[in-house]
Amino acid sequence: MVGDRLLQLTWKEQVFNEYQLPSLTKVGTHKLPCAPTCHEGWGLAYDPSKSALYMTDSTDKLFTLDPATLKPTKPAQQIYDKRLGRPINGVNELEFIDGELWGNIYPMYQGTASECLVRINATDASVIGWVDMRGLLAKQRQTVRANSHNYVLNGIAYHSQSGRLYVTGKQWDKMYQIRVTPAERALQTEAHIHQHCSLGRTSGR
């Protein structure tokens, strides 16, 4: 939601649909700013303090857009973790949380999915840290657990007024309100992230 507009990012059509609030009247369709060179519409988040819109396209790129024109305000940046020495592919479902971008990791085209959330510096697309969400998928019904590559952790919502943070996944049974506490140093090491976060290859799709 951007002011009195709702922006819907499509997956494969490479367009934004724009709706007027509160009527939800569709008022426009806009090509993605990176089309036709970008892949698909994946993540979208808005920072009202900077009037900036952020978008991902299933690769390792972060796009920064003007919410009024939906045009890029600077070149696409690579989402990169300096500690791991690698780009992060498949950032999906973005949410703007206290000055950071948080995202699910779903390297779908590499045949994997992650149970970790990535925290991204919105200014330079560098990775700030990780949140290990393992254990939630295991609480879902057997149908979801048996098809974990498709029914992935894929939903983050933040209520800034209350500070409440929610996560869920595709066809999951429940939505969870979570509290993130400072992780032990061991949970942020290269070895822990490589072992538990299923980030896929470094080469993209």
Side-chain angles (χ1 to χ4, degrees), residues 15-28:
V15 298
F16 288 105
N17 290 319
E18 181 179 357
Y19 302 87
Q20 189 71 38
L21 296 174
S23 66
L24 289 180
T25 302
K26 188 174 180 180
V27 295

Side-chain angles (χ1 to χ4, degrees), residues 115-131:
E115 292 186 70
C116 296
L117 305 178
V118 63
R119 297 166 50 211
I120 302 168
N121 183 322
T123 301
D124 63 7
S126 62
V127 172
I128 299 168
W130 297 85
V131 182

Side-chain angles (χ1 to χ4, degrees), residues 73-194:
T73 58
K74 59 184 177 182
Q77 297 171 289
Q78 186 178 56
I79 301 169
Y80 196 87
D81 190 322
K82 294 179 181 178
R83 289 172 303 168
L84 300 183
R86 58 162 291 170
I88 305 302
N89 294 294
V91 177
N92 191 25
E93 172 44 22
L94 290 175
E95 184 75 1
F96 195 78
I97 301 175
D98 288 341
E100 302 176 1
L101 286 170
W102 288 35
N104 297 117
I105 305 296
Y106 187 18
M108 181 173 70
Y109 297 106
Q110 299 181 12
T112 188
S114 179
E115 292 186 70
C116 296
L117 305 178
V118 63
R119 297 166 50 211
I120 302 168
N121 183 322
T123 301
D124 63 7
S126 62
V127 172
I128 299 168
W130 297 85
V131 182
D132 189 339
M133 301 300 298
R134 288 177 304 138
L136 294 185
L137 176 63
K139 296 177 183 292
Q140 311 314 309
R141 65 187 184 279
Q142 196 278 334
T143 303
V144 171
R145 299 196 310 272
N147 196 9
S148 59
H149 173 63
N150 289 317
Y151 299 152
V152 295
L153 178 72
N154 188 41
I156 312 171
Y158 180 62
H159 187 255
S160 58
Q161 289 86 351
S162 65
R164 292 175 179 171
L165 181 62
Y166 302 91
V167 298
T168 190
K170 291 186 177 181
Q171 298 201 26
W172 281 20
D173 303 287
K174 297 178 178 66
M175 178 174 67
Y176 299 88
Q177 181 182 337
I178 65 171
R179 180 180 295 110
V180 179
T181 58
E184 296 178 8
R185 187 177 299 273
L187 299 183
Q188 296 294 321
T189 64
E190 179 180 352
H192 180 90
I193 296 166
H194 277 308

